[in-house]
Amino acid sequence: MRQVLASFDNCPDPRLRELVAALVRHLHEFAVEESVTEAEWLAAIRFLTDVGHITTDRRQEFILLSDTLGLSMLVDLIHHGSGSGATESTVLGPFYVEGSPWRSNGDAITDDLGAQPLLVSGHVRDTAGLPLPGATVDVWQNATNRLYAVQDGAQTPENLRGRFRTDADGAFAFRTVRPVDYPIPDDGPVGRMLHATGRHPWRPAHIHFIISAEGYVPVTTHVFDSESPYLDSDAVFGVKQSLVRKLVAHDPAADSAPAGIQGSWHTVDIDIVLQLEAPALPS
Ligand code: BEZ
Ligand code: FE
């Protein structure tokens, strides 16, 4: 191993030198510790080759591999640990599409609220509790057939996604459908890995959010449905307790129905807290 490490001694970028040296050290230690056989090594090479072959502009199997091995959440935890008072972050996932339509507070993000309408409301605040007017709330979620619009030719491309701007009180609101549990794409090598290791591909029902405001650190996060049976076994380890919310049930017999809602519905109210960006150091 010494010789391999020494081969990077002239690397002009010190951070790159440190990273490749540590990677080599850990890979070599892993092979020695496990007495990896030639057949196992070749199987790993074939697996990574398959991960590359299935990856396209629309399907990122390497990110899925990182997610299912818990590496994506580990990197997230290293850089966005709790303690600042800001809303905790979680995985972005592969179904985010930039440039969602701007919508007005109170709008629906889908043309069909179906049998399980959900009213989402909330405020964006700073860590001192002051409202942040003009913050951007970018949301996306899956449909009741479990698919995101980007995966499903039967949905309009803008279905179940949208961008909102908080009002003078830092408030935002939208109408949607209750998200459902769904399996991550498991018809490729990552799915084979999950199957071979006795794991399931399911994620607990959630809505994705990216919240940003001028001068504040943006946060990429989810709100999870507290009734999902997969909260303790998320295939990508993205659940943080602080992101789980009870969706409150309402019945037209007891509550007056909001405009456009027939039958029963759910509501959820969420507070998002953003942390001030660190001031730039003088150059
Ligand atoms: C998602 O929540 O959209 C997701 C995250 C990681 C892997 C697959 C899907
Ligand atoms: Fe998702």
Side-chain angles (χ1 to χ4, degrees), residues 64 67 91-95 140 148 182 184-185 203 206 208 222 236:
L64 210 53
D67 293 344
V91 281
L92 174 69
F95 304 128
W140 69 107
Y148 287 78
Y182 66 92
I184 61 169
R203 294 216 67 206
H206 57 268
H208 291 260
H222 297 3
V236 302

mmCIF file of all heavy atoms in Angstrom, residues 64 67 91-95 140 148 182 184-185 203 206 208 222 236, ligand 1:
data_model
loop_
_atom_site.group_PDB
_atom_site.id
_atom_site.type_symbol
_atom_site.label_atom_id
_atom_site.label_comp_id
_atom_site.label_asym_id
_atom_site.label_seq_id
_atom_site.Cartn_x
_atom_site.Cartn_y
_atom_site.Cartn_z
ATOM 1 N N LEU A 64 -28.455 6.835 -6.550
ATOM 2 C CA LEU A 64 -29.320 5.853 -5.889
ATOM 3 C C LEU A 64 -28.470 4.878 -5.059
ATOM 4 O O LEU A 64 -28.850 4.498 -3.944
ATOM 5 C CB LEU A 64 -30.095 5.090 -6.962
ATOM 6 C CG LEU A 64 -31.472 4.569 -6.619
ATOM 7 C CD1 LEU A 64 -32.367 5.665 -6.064
ATOM 8 C CD2 LEU A 64 -32.112 3.929 -7.851
ATOM 9 N N ASP A 67 -27.348 6.712 -2.031
ATOM 10 C CA ASP A 67 -28.497 6.867 -1.122
ATOM 11 C C ASP A 67 -28.756 5.574 -0.346
ATOM 12 O O ASP A 67 -28.970 5.584 0.865
ATOM 13 C CB ASP A 67 -29.769 7.216 -1.909
ATOM 14 C CG ASP A 67 -29.724 8.591 -2.562
ATOM 15 O OD1 ASP A 67 -28.871 9.405 -2.181
ATOM 16 O OD2 ASP A 67 -30.548 8.845 -3.464
ATOM 17 N N VAL A 91 -32.274 14.066 1.938
ATOM 18 C CA VAL A 91 -31.861 13.843 0.544
ATOM 19 C C VAL A 91 -32.685 14.649 -0.465
ATOM 20 O O VAL A 91 -33.889 14.836 -0.281
ATOM 21 C CB VAL A 91 -31.966 12.346 0.143
ATOM 22 C CG1 VAL A 91 -30.821 11.539 0.654
ATOM 23 C CG2 VAL A 91 -33.305 11.749 0.571
ATOM 24 N N LEU A 92 -32.025 15.065 -1.549
ATOM 25 C CA LEU A 92 -32.728 15.742 -2.656
ATOM 26 C C LEU A 92 -33.528 14.709 -3.455
ATOM 27 O O LEU A 92 -34.676 14.961 -3.831
ATOM 28 C CB LEU A 92 -31.696 16.424 -3.566
ATOM 29 C CG LEU A 92 -32.232 17.051 -4.839
ATOM 30 C CD1 LEU A 92 -33.078 18.279 -4.533
ATOM 31 C CD2 LEU A 92 -31.093 17.422 -5.786
ATOM 32 N N GLY A 93 -32.926 13.552 -3.696
ATOM 33 C CA GLY A 93 -33.589 12.524 -4.505
ATOM 34 C C GLY A 93 -33.472 12.836 -5.981
ATOM 35 O O GLY A 93 -33.080 13.935 -6.368
ATOM 36 N N PRO A 94 -33.816 11.853 -6.830
ATOM 37 C CA PRO A 94 -33.601 12.001 -8.277
ATOM 38 C C PRO A 94 -34.765 12.645 -9.032
ATOM 39 O O PRO A 94 -34.678 12.812 -10.241
ATOM 40 C CB PRO A 94 -33.423 10.548 -8.732
ATOM 41 C CG PRO A 94 -34.248 9.752 -7.775
ATOM 42 C CD PRO A 94 -34.238 10.491 -6.461
ATOM 43 N N PHE A 95 -35.845 13.020 -8.332
ATOM 44 C CA PHE A 95 -37.041 13.454 -9.067
ATOM 45 C C PHE A 95 -37.265 14.962 -9.039
ATOM 46 O O PHE A 95 -38.327 15.444 -9.432
ATOM 47 C CB PHE A 95 -38.283 12.716 -8.527
ATOM 48 C CG PHE A 95 -38.139 11.218 -8.567
ATOM 49 C CD1 PHE A 95 -38.368 10.442 -7.441
ATOM 50 C CD2 PHE A 95 -37.742 10.583 -9.734
ATOM 51 C CE1 PHE A 95 -38.210 9.066 -7.482
ATOM 52 C CE2 PHE A 95 -37.579 9.210 -9.785
ATOM 53 C CZ PHE A 95 -37.816 8.446 -8.655
ATOM 54 N N TRP A 140 -42.337 19.481 -4.416
ATOM 55 C CA TRP A 140 -42.700 18.423 -5.368
ATOM 56 C C TRP A 140 -43.011 17.139 -4.607
ATOM 57 O O TRP A 140 -42.538 16.931 -3.508
ATOM 58 C CB TRP A 140 -41.624 18.204 -6.431
ATOM 59 C CG TRP A 140 -40.310 17.609 -5.995
ATOM 60 C CD1 TRP A 140 -39.870 16.331 -6.239
ATOM 61 C CD2 TRP A 140 -39.225 18.248 -5.304
ATOM 62 N NE1 TRP A 140 -38.594 16.151 -5.728
ATOM 63 C CE2 TRP A 140 -38.173 17.315 -5.145
ATOM 64 C CE3 TRP A 140 -39.033 19.531 -4.769
ATOM 65 C CZ2 TRP A 140 -36.983 17.604 -4.497
ATOM 66 C CZ3 TRP A 140 -37.840 19.819 -4.118
ATOM 67 C CH2 TRP A 140 -36.841 18.865 -3.999
ATOM 68 N N TYR A 148 -43.806 10.145 -9.584
ATOM 69 C CA TYR A 148 -43.597 11.579 -9.793
ATOM 70 C C TYR A 148 -43.880 11.865 -11.275
ATOM 71 O O TYR A 148 -43.688 10.980 -12.138
ATOM 72 C CB TYR A 148 -42.151 11.951 -9.470
ATOM 73 C CG TYR A 148 -41.844 11.951 -7.982
ATOM 74 C CD1 TYR A 148 -41.621 10.769 -7.291
ATOM 75 C CD2 TYR A 148 -41.773 13.147 -7.278
ATOM 76 C CE1 TYR A 148 -41.349 10.773 -5.928
ATOM 77 C CE2 TYR A 148 -41.502 13.163 -5.915
ATOM 78 C CZ TYR A 148 -41.288 11.975 -5.242
ATOM 79 O OH TYR A 148 -41.016 11.987 -3.906
ATOM 80 N N TYR A 182 -43.758 4.889 -1.533
ATOM 81 C CA TYR A 182 -43.421 4.386 -2.882
ATOM 82 C C TYR A 182 -42.053 3.721 -2.873
ATOM 83 O O TYR A 182 -41.200 4.043 -2.040
ATOM 84 C CB TYR A 182 -43.460 5.521 -3.918
ATOM 85 C CG TYR A 182 -42.407 6.586 -3.721
ATOM 86 C CD1 TYR A 182 -41.179 6.487 -4.365
ATOM 87 C CD2 TYR A 182 -42.638 7.676 -2.902
ATOM 88 C CE1 TYR A 182 -40.206 7.463 -4.182
ATOM 89 C CE2 TYR A 182 -41.684 8.647 -2.720
ATOM 90 C CZ TYR A 182 -40.465 8.542 -3.362
ATOM 91 O OH TYR A 182 -39.515 9.502 -3.180
ATOM 92 N N ILE A 184 -38.340 3.128 -4.393
ATOM 93 C CA ILE A 184 -37.366 3.788 -5.262
ATOM 94 C C ILE A 184 -37.173 2.888 -6.493
ATOM 95 O O ILE A 184 -37.504 1.695 -6.434
ATOM 96 C CB ILE A 184 -36.012 4.023 -4.527
ATOM 97 C CG1 ILE A 184 -35.388 2.699 -4.098
ATOM 98 C CG2 ILE A 184 -36.202 4.943 -3.337
ATOM 99 C CD1 ILE A 184 -33.960 2.845 -3.624
ATOM 100 N N PRO A 185 -36.660 3.435 -7.610
ATOM 101 C CA PRO A 185 -36.529 2.597 -8.814
ATOM 102 C C PRO A 185 -35.676 1.355 -8.491
ATOM 103 O O PRO A 185 -34.509 1.477 -8.102
ATOM 104 C CB PRO A 185 -35.820 3.529 -9.808
ATOM 105 C CG PRO A 185 -36.133 4.907 -9.328
ATOM 106 C CD PRO A 185 -36.232 4.823 -7.839
ATOM 107 N N ARG A 203 -39.918 3.918 0.400
ATOM 108 C CA ARG A 203 -39.717 5.172 1.134
ATOM 109 C C ARG A 203 -41.039 5.569 1.786
ATOM 110 O O ARG A 203 -42.111 5.416 1.180
ATOM 111 C CB ARG A 203 -39.323 6.329 0.189
ATOM 112 C CG ARG A 203 -37.967 6.170 -0.481
ATOM 113 C CD ARG A 203 -37.295 7.528 -0.618
ATOM 114 N NE ARG A 203 -36.968 8.051 0.706
ATOM 115 C CZ ARG A 203 -36.842 9.328 1.009
ATOM 116 N NH1 ARG A 203 -37.030 10.251 0.086
ATOM 117 N NH2 ARG A 203 -36.543 9.718 2.237
ATOM 118 N N HIS A 206 -43.957 11.305 1.693
ATOM 119 C CA HIS A 206 -43.367 12.608 2.048
ATOM 120 C C HIS A 206 -43.630 13.627 0.950
ATOM 121 O O HIS A 206 -43.937 13.265 -0.190
ATOM 122 C CB HIS A 206 -41.850 12.475 2.258
ATOM 123 C CG HIS A 206 -41.155 11.913 1.060
ATOM 124 N ND1 HIS A 206 -40.929 10.572 0.894
ATOM 125 C CD2 HIS A 206 -40.675 12.509 -0.067
ATOM 126 C CE1 HIS A 206 -40.322 10.360 -0.254
ATOM 127 N NE2 HIS A 206 -40.158 11.520 -0.871
ATOM 128 N N HIS A 208 -41.476 16.869 -0.793
ATOM 129 C CA HIS A 208 -40.140 17.491 -0.867
ATOM 130 C C HIS A 208 -40.260 19.013 -0.841
ATOM 131 O O HIS A 208 -41.181 19.573 -1.462
ATOM 132 C CB HIS A 208 -39.464 17.144 -2.194
ATOM 133 C CG HIS A 208 -39.075 15.723 -2.347
ATOM 134 N ND1 HIS A 208 -37.802 15.280 -2.143
ATOM 135 C CD2 HIS A 208 -39.790 14.639 -2.707
ATOM 136 C CE1 HIS A 208 -37.740 13.981 -2.384
ATOM 137 N NE2 HIS A 208 -38.936 13.565 -2.722
ATOM 138 N N HIS A 222 -37.775 17.357 3.636
ATOM 139 C CA HIS A 222 -39.059 16.695 3.392
ATOM 140 C C HIS A 222 -39.963 16.962 4.593
ATOM 141 O O HIS A 222 -39.475 17.243 5.696
ATOM 142 C CB HIS A 222 -38.969 15.168 3.406
ATOM 143 C CG HIS A 222 -38.134 14.481 2.384
ATOM 144 N ND1 HIS A 222 -37.373 15.093 1.434
ATOM 145 C CD2 HIS A 222 -37.974 13.144 2.178
ATOM 146 C CE1 HIS A 222 -36.774 14.175 0.692
ATOM 147 N NE2 HIS A 222 -37.115 12.976 1.132
ATOM 148 N N VAL A 236 -33.564 4.819 1.881
ATOM 149 C CA VAL A 236 -32.419 5.721 1.688
ATOM 150 C C VAL A 236 -32.034 6.443 2.990
ATOM 151 O O VAL A 236 -31.257 7.393 2.965
ATOM 152 C CB VAL A 236 -32.664 6.734 0.543
ATOM 153 C CG1 VAL A 236 -32.957 6.006 -0.760
ATOM 154 C CG2 VAL A 236 -33.789 7.701 0.860
HETATM 155 C C1 BEZ B 1 -37.037 10.657 -3.371
HETATM 156 O O1 BEZ B 1 -37.503 10.895 -2.283
HETATM 157 O O2 BEZ B 1 -37.578 11.213 -4.327
HETATM 158 C C2 BEZ B 1 -35.870 9.718 -3.501
HETATM 159 C C3 BEZ B 1 -34.748 9.936 -2.723
HETATM 160 C C4 BEZ B 1 -33.661 9.076 -2.859
HETATM 161 C C5 BEZ B 1 -33.716 8.023 -3.755
HETATM 162 C C6 BEZ B 1 -34.854 7.810 -4.522
HETATM 163 C C7 BEZ B 1 -35.951 8.665 -4.393
#
